[in-house]
Amino acid sequence: MILFYYLVVFPISRMPWWMVYGFSDFLYWTGYKIFRYRTRVVNTNLKKSFPEKSAAEIKDIRRKFYRHFCDVMLEGIKMQTMTAEELAVKQTVSNPEIVDHLFEQGKGLIICTGHYNNWEYVATGINPWFKHQTLGIYHQFKSEFFERKMLEARSKTGMLLVSRKAIREGFFKEHKDPYAIFFGVDQSPTIAKKVYWMEFLNQETPVAFGAEKYAKERNYAVVFAKNEKVKRGHYCMTLEILTEDPLNTAHGEITELHHKTLEKIIQERPEYWLWSHKRWKRKRKAGE
């Protein structure tokens, strides 16, 4: 795996942008047009999510998705050696000031987003735009080498990265700062026992409850980050405050709210969501 990094990942990350996008076009034609990478999964997901759309409309979304998906994968590799200054140009935030008053009140944030547009740019590039210290919680890797490389890339603009193990061992008991905690809310909880079931994109869907759990435990405001594609390789994030008073919400209300916000965004421009993952392979069992 270390050899793969230095023979494949690192050289791609050092390519000029015109070559990166040329390689992305090549991957599109080979991965999608020739090898049909996960097209069965993508087709199934699209047809179930948009039963009202025609076969031609589904095909058009699928084609646009693969074009964008190849760009995002190559942009993620390129990010390994991008500077913080370059990333600040590629990933901007249109209205960071709307959460300044929460920082001044000493109140933290839960930042919700999904695997929409370039989620790697969002996770890595948001810290300089906030007065809050941003924080990401991650699963530890089996490979120490790749975990170190991930931490180096993701923390280059100042985001604090904390492992789930450190969280379980009491990180927040020792650190009382008003953080802005980043959550990718559309993770597929295939193993977790505690999930929230809801209707999402016309399908019964198990969703992770972590964002709501942390918001209520820490009395943090909940914000949704909508990331829009400005042009190839450039994105702009817009913040929307979903609630500043999580303790006065019903069980599941925050989870429903941020997923319905994400759902609306996906329905507007579906080609920018990650359709190639098996989002709905878990089915509800009796008693769940």
Side-chain angles (χ1 to χ4, degrees), residues 111-166:
I111 303 174
C112 299
T113 190
H115 287 81
Y116 188 83
N117 270 316
N118 195 319
W119 58 90
E120 292 287 348
Y121 276 13
V122 173
T124 305
I126 60 174
N127 188 70
W129 299 91
F130 288 84
K131 291 183 177 181
H132 291 81
Q133 168 64 59
T134 59
L135 183 149
I137 303 171
Y138 70 94
H139 285 286
Q140 289 180 282
F141 286 39
K142 291 182 179 179
S143 166
E144 291 184 7
F145 174 80
F146 275 97
E147 180 170 328
R148 185 173 73 254
K149 289 299 179 183
M150 181 277 294
L151 293 174
E152 290 173 359
R154 281 279 183 90
S155 62
K156 69 176 59 183
T157 67
M159 175 180 271
L160 177 64
L161 292 158
V162 184
S163 69
R164 290 186 177 273
K165 181 175 182 290

Side-chain angles (χ1 to χ4, degrees), residues 37-53 58-59 61-62 65-66 186 188 200-205 263 266-267 270 273-283:
Y37 172 74
R38 289 206 168 193
T39 51
R40 184 176 297 180
V41 174
V42 173
N43 279 334
T44 299
N45 286 343
L46 287 172
K47 288 176 181 178
K48 289 184 176 181
S49 298
F50 303 105
E52 76 286 358
K53 292 190 181 298
I58 294 294
K59 182 179 179 180
I61 295 170
R62 186 184 69 208
F65 159 71
Y66 277 101
D186 57 349
S188 182
F200 178 70
L201 291 172
N202 293 303
Q203 297 163 83
E204 188 177 50
T205 306
E263 181 181 59
I266 294 169
Q267 289 168 339
W273 197 49
L274 185 60
W275 294 102
S276 57
H277 66 323
K278 296 181 180 180
R279 185 69 180 81
W280 289 280
K281 62 184 178 181
R282 177 173 174 171
K283 304 301 179 184

Side-chain angles (χ1 to χ4, degrees), residues 87-96 113 116-118 121-122 126 129 224-239 265 272:
L87 186 55
V89 175
K90 298 284 187 180
Q91 177 65 66
T92 60
V93 182
S94 65
N95 61 340
T113 190
Y116 188 83
N117 270 316
N118 195 319
Y121 276 13
V122 173
I126 60 174
W129 299 91
F224 194 91
K226 177 183 180 181
N227 203 30
E228 297 178 277
K229 192 171 188 175
V230 178
K231 61 181 179 179
R232 198 175 198 183
H234 290 75
Y235 305 87
C236 181
M237 184 170 64
T238 301
L239 306 177
I265 293 168
Y272 295 144

Side-chain angles (χ1 to χ4, degrees), residues 3 5 7 15 25 57 61 69-70 73 83 98-99 112 144 158 192-194 238 240 247 258 260 278:
L3 196 62
Y5 177 84
L7 290 179
M15 288 180 179
D25 292 340
E57 289 174 312
I61 295 170
F69 175 69
C70 291
M73 294 302 101
T83 65
I98 73 165
V99 296
C112 299
E144 291 184 7
K193 294 181 179 179
K194 294 182 179 180
T238 301
E240 178 187 351
L247 299 182
H258 64 62
K260 289 302 179 183
K278 296 181 180 180

